[in-house]
Amino acid sequence: MRKKNLRSFIYGAVCLSVSGFLFCAAAFVSGDLKKQTPAAIEVYDIQGLNVSMAQAFSFAEGDSFAAAGVGTRAQASDDAQNKTISAYYQMTTPNYGAYLNLQFCEGGYFSADGSKEPSAVIPESLSKMLFEEKSGEKILLVNGRKFKVCGVYKDGGALTQLGSASLPVIYGNAPERTDTPAESLLIKAEAGKTARQQRQETAVAMGIPLEGEMHDLGRLHQLGEALLLLGFFLAGSWFILRLCIISYQKLISAYECRESGTQRGSAAVWGVCAFLLAMTGFWLLLQLVRIPAVYLPENNIFDFAYYGSQITGGIQQINADGRVRDFSRICAVYLCAETGLLVLAVPLFWAGCRSLAGACMSLRRVKLSSQARPFQKKL
Amino acid sequence: MKNLKQFAVRAATALFIVLALCTVMAHRIETLLLTEVRTETVPPALKMADGITVVKVSPACIFTNLNGEPCVMLLQRREGPWGTELYVEETQVHIYSEDYDFCVLEGDLSGQTLAVYPSRRLSDDETVRCVLE
């Protein structure tokens, strides 16, 4: 009996530990999604939006959005032109690096109050290829134009790894007088506003209508959090179910009890208390379910055809062309990983709790029977 | 007979607990499925040169009713079975002038709260929930 209990305890503890680890991993995935992607709404058009970089530059000073110009394939080389590498060059506003959450291993993003000389930030891989043996100031030639390298960022952001960009991306500072159109605008996402609302507000502030593909990465962050909370809700439901079972057993025992009124009354009181606790706990636990309305069907939450069509639409977007594919890939990788981890964590949590509760109950039974034995002997 | 009675009591108790859980869950689902709206408070009214009182709102506040006329959705509160709830009241308006940035409405709606950017199409008297509330 003791061996069996010990086995149950170990099994329960292992299940709970693994479940805890999986929950932490899901939280890490949700956190990494936030770290790797900007909390912003991206308005994108590969041909260029109807906003020039000069206009974007003048409005981006308020820090409510950042802009990147239409990118071009370029030949990048060191100042001695020993090596030439194909790259993708984009001019950006000075706050673009902060929006993209770029991690720097050397220097930093160019600042708005910096010198007017052309500056660029380059990825670590490109820096290693071009300036491996060089120390001190780095001068980069992009299509023959000189740039001072002011920062080297770490490769491996979600947007570049999961995106379609296979070339190293060089970000350069935008000369204030340029007619190059902006390729993408990153508008700071606010929880209380829709992407459409924020796009319109930005358009009103700039006095230019903004048309283009819109990807709400801020909402994606919210969905990542909502999934994690849903996992906690499902795990916590075990306690509610347990309380309901206890309540049921106490109420039935109160009804079927043949002994004194006091025992019957106490069983009924315990039953009612457990029932009320279960209901309150369930109500509180349900507050963790916070799925944004845009992801829910209109009238019936059990409209599985709707969820099916959403998933099918997402899969089709992964195979589409353009920026929407990058966005869909990010959604698919992060959300599927998080869901997968939670799907494993919840049953393990239930199994662990069940096993531990079983072991505790049998221990209690053993203790009670050992206490009852001397009385039985006396009788 | 006694077994049957016992079974009925057990089944009724289990059913009662399940129903109570379902009621709590249904309430939450109902809240989640309510149309989500953002709000905008109407600024103080202005007097135009021709003597008409107007208010300046965002174009997103203007909806079209079933007759194709412009209207705004005023956010109101009422007592529901589960406490105070928010609902929208369709109010027909006359547009004095409009451009890309603002819409100037005739009448004094200053201080009123308007529903904007709903998660789906709004209808008169519909119960809604405010984001971040």
Side-chain angles (χ1 to χ4, degrees), chain B residues 37-39 73-77 86-89 112-115 128 130 133:
Chain B
V37 295
R38 277 86 191 159
T39 57
M73 293 293 183
L74 292 180
L75 204 65
Q76 308 281 17
R77 280 171 196 275
L86 292 167
Y87 73 101
V88 287
E89 190 183 286
Q112 300 265 28
T113 310
L114 303 179
V128 293
C130 271
E133 223 180 67

Side-chain angles (χ1 to χ4, degrees), chain A residues 191-194 196-201 203-204 207-211 219 233 240-241 244 247-248 251-252 255-256 258 275 278-279 282-283 286-294 296-302, chain B residues 2 5-7 9-30 32-40 58-60 100-102 116-121 129 131-132:
Chain A
K193 292 178 178 176
T194 60
R196 204 156 49 89
Q197 181 179 3
Q198 286 194 263
R199 181 174 68 171
Q200 191 170 344
E201 280 176 5
V204 167
I208 304 161
L210 287 174
E211 302 295 338
R219 187 76 77 185
F233 162 75
I240 305 301
L241 195 71
C244 285
S247 157
Y248 171 82
L251 288 172
I252 292 297
Y255 174 74
E256 288 173 0
R258 289 168 185 280
F275 172 73
M279 290 305 126
F282 191 50
W283 182 79
L286 273 170
Q287 304 308 309
L288 293 179
V289 184
R290 287 177 193 171
I291 304 164
V294 283
L296 293 172
E298 278 204 16
N299 299 316
N300 179 9
I301 205 159
F302 302 108
Chain B
K2 196 189 164 194
K5 198 180 163 191
Q6 250 181 7
F7 173 75
V9 170
R10 282 174 182 227
T13 314
L15 196 67
F16 172 73
I17 293 171
V18 170
L19 279 177
L21 284 174
C22 285
T23 310
V24 176
M25 196 159 73
H27 179 242
R28 182 70 188 150
I29 291 173
E30 201 186 9
L32 280 176
L33 286 182
L34 286 178
T35 306
E36 224 175 48
V37 295
R38 277 86 191 159
T39 57
E40 189 175 305
S58 145
Y100 191 75
D101 303 355
F102 290 107
V116 283
Y117 298 105
S119 58
R120 45 184 167 260
R121 204 184 149 75
R129 85 182 146 104
V131 178
L132 302 178

Side-chain angles (χ1 to χ4, degrees), chain A residues 22-23 26 231 234 336-349:
Chain A
L22 291 172
F23 271 119
L234 291 172
C336 289
E338 197 180 341
T339 312
L341 288 167
L342 291 173
V343 163
L344 288 174
V346 171
L348 274 173
F349 183 84

Side-chain angles (χ1 to χ4, degrees), chain B residues 25-88:
Chain B
M25 196 159 73
H27 179 242
R28 182 70 188 150
I29 291 173
E30 201 186 9
T31 313
L32 280 176
L33 286 182
L34 286 178
T35 306
E36 224 175 48
V37 295
R38 277 86 191 159
T39 57
E40 189 175 305
T41 309
V42 183
L46 305 165
K47 201 108 177 158
M48 300 305 279
D50 50 7
I52 298 172
T53 309
V54 294
V55 283
K56 234 177 169 185
V57 294
S58 145
C61 299
I62 312 298
F63 297 87
T64 311
N65 65 14
L66 293 174
N67 304 321
E69 286 152 351
C71 64
V72 290
M73 293 293 183
L74 292 180
L75 204 65
Q76 308 281 17
R77 280 171 196 275
R78 68 180 167 204
E79 281 305 311
W82 299 97
T84 311
E85 60 182 27
L86 292 167
Y87 73 101
V88 287

